[in-house]
């Protein structure tokens, strides 16, 4: 059965390889376009190599620690997870820096929105298929090597055992958790580092170039414009890919860990799970994901190989809907035959064999609903963003105020959707169903990432068009694609945030299960007493943590952006010929400022996500960390939705003004200046804070799951106070 996973991976990576070279073969345009594209590519390559060098050093230390304290195979799978995530991010970034100039040139040659869209999407699909392909490739290797060849999936080995330190765990659950943690570490550094890089450059370019010098966005006279375009690739492509890959893997392993502990702790009760059934329950999530990956290949090819219309939003929706529809049908057939003939009542399945599939359907429905809500609150076709643009008529303060209001209101209905999905998924298939809802939401992740990645490619294409001084019609095409990309990015963030909520609940259940000891086979009560003062104290600290974490990120962006602003002002002041075109700006120094700022500032937020649950556990114990996870999840979900939607709305409100959506107040007006400031305020929220918070939630849950068996036994609270 696992062989099908490798077939699906092979199909996805072959199509990704084909699309990579199909885009690369296209004409890159004029010599000036090629020169600019090369500068962007070199800047992105330099940063990603420096960043991965830092990640490699930290990953080796963590792998050694896991290997010594837990077991060697946990360290190995940790490295495998980090490698898969890094590969996906690097390949996605590389195709983005190749596709951007070719999208610009296709717009220049064809003057067709549809043909240009196809090139941008084909480039983005390389990232999407790589995310799905490499995530399942690594997980498939874990299943075959550690699960089958080393026997960790044999029923006699699905037991809680103790290592040399007396730490208790089920070997296979710790193995897959190590893999997920490796993916999470890379995602955190990619998202935080890339987010700081891209927003420092973007804010520096806008604040001086647009509002002070009065020059257009991506004007070649702006020294920060190359750094801004580099940032799109390292933050919105490499960071995005690692983020969604981590979400995907986190959802998959949450179901595997949960069912493994359910099997062991109930093995001596009347609710004991059949041995063959439990193997199917463990294999089911990865096979479900494999069907989703093949469905996404069809969805991608559906757009690439047919004549598309001039409506980019409709065409991108078609690709996603085809992927989601085929996933639903294929996984429904899988579920029927996979669980046919088994007694599933012991699992609390209310709809027989189709129960986990129905739970996944609720996850898919929730993902689509959250995506539509994100579109409503961020697209300039709808009232919230139009109201922000209109508020700019009364000045910058009201632009900010209206954007804050829209962002805060945008959190309510998505959370209602998540609550309903959680309740129904749990009703049909228990906590396993909640995990399957998260998997369902991300089952067509390759399609959603393809659509997401198309956005920064189109954004870069617009920058190259402006810097290459192409005709205005070309920039209009790329701007239209970019505006749609802002909305699709908000939708993608909604999927990641929603899946984090669902996966966090099943990971929390696994966290409670993992405190069981060898011999606990007569049932295990899953309770976390919120009236317990340690749990409540942990929840309070956990609720505050996302705000502190976000503050650090915003401050890091502000520091780097401040240095960028000073540098751009210095160049304009010392070389006045830049603005009249007689002198060339120094792009390299601006790239170095963004790179140095990101590499310096990304370490603390990443370390917080790892060290806070571990430190809290060794001081206050397991109850405190359980509360910590609840508090972080609840406040993190709200803050992430607010940040993603308010930032996206401010950005599109600016684009609405620039496209003459506020009559008589276009580019260069006071209204436009207010909209630009609103966009600048939203930049670190939507591209640094929002995407990083869902990683914070899952990385804390996974690291707690791995270490609870240690600090559950060895902590200062037990030593001195109990």
């Amino acid at each position: 059965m696992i062989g099908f996973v490798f077939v699906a991976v092979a199909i996805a990576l072959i199509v990704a390889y084909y699309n990579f070279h199909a885009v690369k073969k296209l004409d890159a345009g004029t010599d000036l376009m090629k020169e600019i594209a090369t500068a962007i590519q070199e800047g992105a390559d330099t940063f990603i190599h420096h960043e991965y060098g830092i990640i490699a050093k930290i990953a080796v230390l963590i792998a050694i620690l896991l290997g010594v304290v837990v077991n060697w195979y946990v360290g190995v799978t940790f490295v495998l997870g980090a490698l898969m995530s890094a590969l996906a991010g690097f390949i996605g970034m590389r195709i983005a820096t190749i596709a951007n100039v070719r999208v610009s040139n296709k717009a220049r040659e064809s003057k067709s929105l549809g043909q240009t869209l196809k090139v941008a999407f084909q480039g983005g699909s390389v990232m999407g298929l790589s995310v799905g392909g490499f995530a399942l490739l690594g997980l498939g290797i874990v299943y075959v090597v550690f699960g089958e060849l080393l026997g960790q999936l044999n029923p006699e080995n699905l037991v809680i055992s103790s290592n040399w330190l007396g730490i208790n765990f089920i070997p296979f659950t710790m193995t897959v958790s190590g893999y997920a943690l490796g993916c999470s570490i890379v995602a955190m550094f990619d998202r935080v580092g890339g987010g700081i890089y891209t927003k420092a450059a973007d804010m520096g370019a806008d604040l001086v170039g647009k509002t002070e010098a009065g020059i257009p966005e991506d004007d070649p006279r702006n020294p920060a414009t190359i750094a801004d375009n580099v940032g799109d690739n390292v933050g919105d492509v490499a960071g995005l890919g690692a983020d969604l890959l981590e979400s995907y893997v986190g959802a998959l392993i949450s179901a595997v860990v949960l069912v493994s502990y359910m099997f062991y702790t109930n093995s001596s009760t009347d609710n004991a799970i059949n041995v063959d059934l439990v193997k199917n329950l463990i294999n089911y999530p990865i096979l479900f994901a494999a069907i989703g990956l093949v469905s996404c290949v069809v969805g991608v090819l559906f757009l690439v190989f047919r004549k598309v219309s001039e409506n980019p939003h409709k065409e991108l929706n078609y690709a996603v809907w085809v992927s989601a529809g085929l996933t639903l049908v294929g996984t429904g057939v899988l579920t029927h035959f996979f669980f046919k003939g088994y007694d599933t009542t012991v699992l609390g399945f209310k709809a027989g064999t189709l129960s986990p599939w129905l739970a996944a359907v609720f996850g898919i429905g929730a993902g689509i609903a959250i995506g539509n809500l994100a579109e409503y609150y961020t697209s300039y076709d709808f009232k919230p963003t139009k109201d922000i643009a209109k508020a700019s008529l009364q000045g910058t303060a009201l632009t900010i105020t209206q954007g804050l209001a829209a962002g805060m209101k945008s959190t309510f209905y998505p959370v209602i959707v998540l609550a309903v999905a959680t309740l129904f998924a749990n009703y049909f298939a228990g906590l396993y169903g909640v995990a399957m809802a998260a998997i369902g939401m991300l089952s067509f992740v390759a399609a959603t990432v393809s659509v997401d990645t198309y956005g920064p490619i189109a954004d870069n294409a617009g920058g190259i068009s402006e810097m290459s001084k192409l005709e205005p019609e070309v920039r209009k095409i790329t701007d239209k694609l970019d505006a749609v990309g802002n909305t699709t990015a908000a939708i993608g963030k909604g999927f990641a945030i929603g899946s984090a909520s669902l996966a966090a609940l099943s990971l929390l259940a696994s966290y409670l299960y993992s405190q069981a000891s060898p011999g606990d086979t007569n049932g295990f009560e899953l309770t976390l007493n919120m009236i317990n003062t340690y749990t409540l104290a942990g929840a309070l600290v956990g609720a505050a943590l996302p705000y502190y974490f976000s503050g650090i990120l915003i401050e890091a962006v502000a520091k780097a952006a401040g240095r960028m602003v000073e540098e751009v002002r210095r160049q304009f002041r010392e070389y006045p010929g830049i603005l009249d075109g007689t002198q060339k700006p120094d792009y390299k120094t601006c790239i170095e400022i963004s790179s140095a700022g990101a590499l310096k500032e990304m370490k603390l937020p990443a370390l917080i996500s790892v060290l806070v649950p571990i430190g809290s556990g060794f001081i206050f114990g397991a109850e405190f960390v359980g509360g910590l996870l609840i508090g972080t999840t609840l406040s993190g979900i709200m803050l992430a939705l607010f940040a993603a939607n308010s930032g996206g709305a401010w950005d599109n409100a600016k684009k609405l003004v620039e496209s003459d959506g506020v009559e008589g107040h276009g580019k260069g007006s006071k209204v436009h200046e207010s909209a630009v400031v609103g966009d600048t305020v939203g930049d670190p929220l939507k591209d640094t804070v929002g995407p990083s918070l869902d990683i914070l939630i899952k990385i804390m849950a996974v690291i707690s799951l791995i270490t609870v068996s240690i600090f559950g036994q060895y902590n200062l609270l037990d030593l001195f106070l109990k």
Side-chain angles (χ1 to χ4, degrees), residues 106-130:
K106 177 61 71 172
R108 180 178 74 96
E109 291 179 341
S110 68
K111 303 297 189 296
S112 165
L113 192 66
Q115 291 184 45
T116 309
L117 162 70
K118 186 178 286 191
V119 177
F121 178 78
Q122 193 167 17
S125 72
V126 176
M127 175 86 265
L129 296 173
S130 294

Side-chain angles (χ1 to χ4, degrees), residues 182-498:
C183 297
S184 296
I185 289 291
V186 173
M188 179 57 78
F189 276 101
D190 269 8
R191 261 308 191 188
V192 171
I196 293 170
Y197 188 114
T198 184
K199 291 305 107 181
D202 194 1
M203 291 171 70
D206 284 354
L207 287 172
V208 183
K210 283 186 176 182
T211 60
E212 293 183 11
I215 58 178
E217 186 171 6
D218 297 315
D219 192 292
R221 293 171 292 176
N222 193 326
T225 191
I226 294 288
D228 184 11
N229 283 275
V230 170
D232 290 336
N233 295 289
V234 300
D236 297 339
V237 178
L240 163 81
D243 178 4
L244 270 296
L245 186 146
E246 181 264 353
S247 297
Y248 191 43
V249 170
L252 290 169
I253 72 108
S254 69
V256 173
V257 174
L258 185 66
V259 78
S260 299
Y261 276 101
M262 288 171 63
F263 169 71
Y264 179 74
T265 56
N266 289 287
S267 58
S268 297
T269 69
D270 293 337
N271 291 323
I273 306 172
N274 177 279
V275 169
D276 291 331
L277 175 58
V278 81
K279 288 196 74 171
N280 278 7
L281 288 167
I282 289 172
N283 288 330
Y284 178 67
I286 192 172
L287 292 171
F288 193 105
I291 289 173
L293 183 58
V294 173
S295 301
C296 289
V297 170
V298 177
V300 166
L301 296 179
F302 178 77
L303 195 154
V304 169
F305 285 110
R306 71 183 185 88
K307 186 177 180 180
V308 297
S309 69
E310 298 291 294
N311 186 334
H313 201 277
K314 181 179 76 173
E315 296 298 337
L316 294 170
N317 278 342
Y318 280 161
V320 174
W321 279 102
V322 167
S323 303
L326 291 175
T327 299
L328 275 174
V329 174
T331 53
V333 173
L334 166 74
T335 309
H336 174 71
F337 288 104
F338 212 56
F339 295 113
K340 188 178 181 181
Y342 289 106
D343 178 15
T344 56
T345 56
V346 295
L347 296 165
F349 284 8
K350 296 291 196 302
T353 58
L354 288 178
S355 297
W357 178 77
L358 286 172
V361 169
F362 276 103
I364 293 172
I368 292 170
I370 291 170
N372 287 336
L373 287 167
E375 181 180 356
Y376 173 75
Y377 281 104
T378 60
S379 172
Y380 62 40
D381 292 327
F382 298 103
K383 188 175 184 294
T385 299
K386 287 180 178 179
D387 285 347
I388 296 171
K390 289 175 184 175
S392 299
L393 289 165
Q394 280 78 44
T396 304
L398 288 180
T399 304
I400 305 300
T401 304
Q402 190 66 39
L404 288 172
M408 289 179 179
K409 289 168 67 178
S410 75
T411 65
F412 184 72
Y413 293 110
V415 170
I416 295 295
V417 169
L418 282 172
V420 170
T422 301
L423 291 171
F424 275 100
N426 182 71
Y427 171 78
F428 281 110
L431 286 170
Y432 185 77
V434 175
M436 285 309 306
I439 292 168
M441 194 178 283
L442 292 171
S443 56
F444 48 99
V445 69
T448 56
V449 173
S450 298
V451 171
D452 275 3
T453 309
Y454 128 92
I457 290 174
D459 191 6
N460 254 212
I464 292 171
S465 301
E466 188 74 40
M467 286 183 277
S468 304
K469 301 178 182 178
L470 302 182
E471 53 264 51
E473 189 178 352
V474 174
R475 186 63 199 252
K476 284 184 179 178
I477 291 172
T478 58
D479 276 354
K480 176 66 175 174
L481 295 177
D482 183 26
V484 174
N486 281 330
T487 300
T488 59
I491 292 171
K493 292 182 182 88
F495 272 85
I497 295 164

Side-chain angles (χ1 to χ4, degrees), residues 52 83-93 126-127 130-132 134-135 237-238 241-242 245:
Y52 281 2
L83 178 63
M84 292 296 109
S85 185
L87 268 174
F90 181 79
I91 290 171
M93 188 210 68
V126 176
M127 175 86 265
S130 294
V131 164
F134 283 113
V237 178
L245 186 146

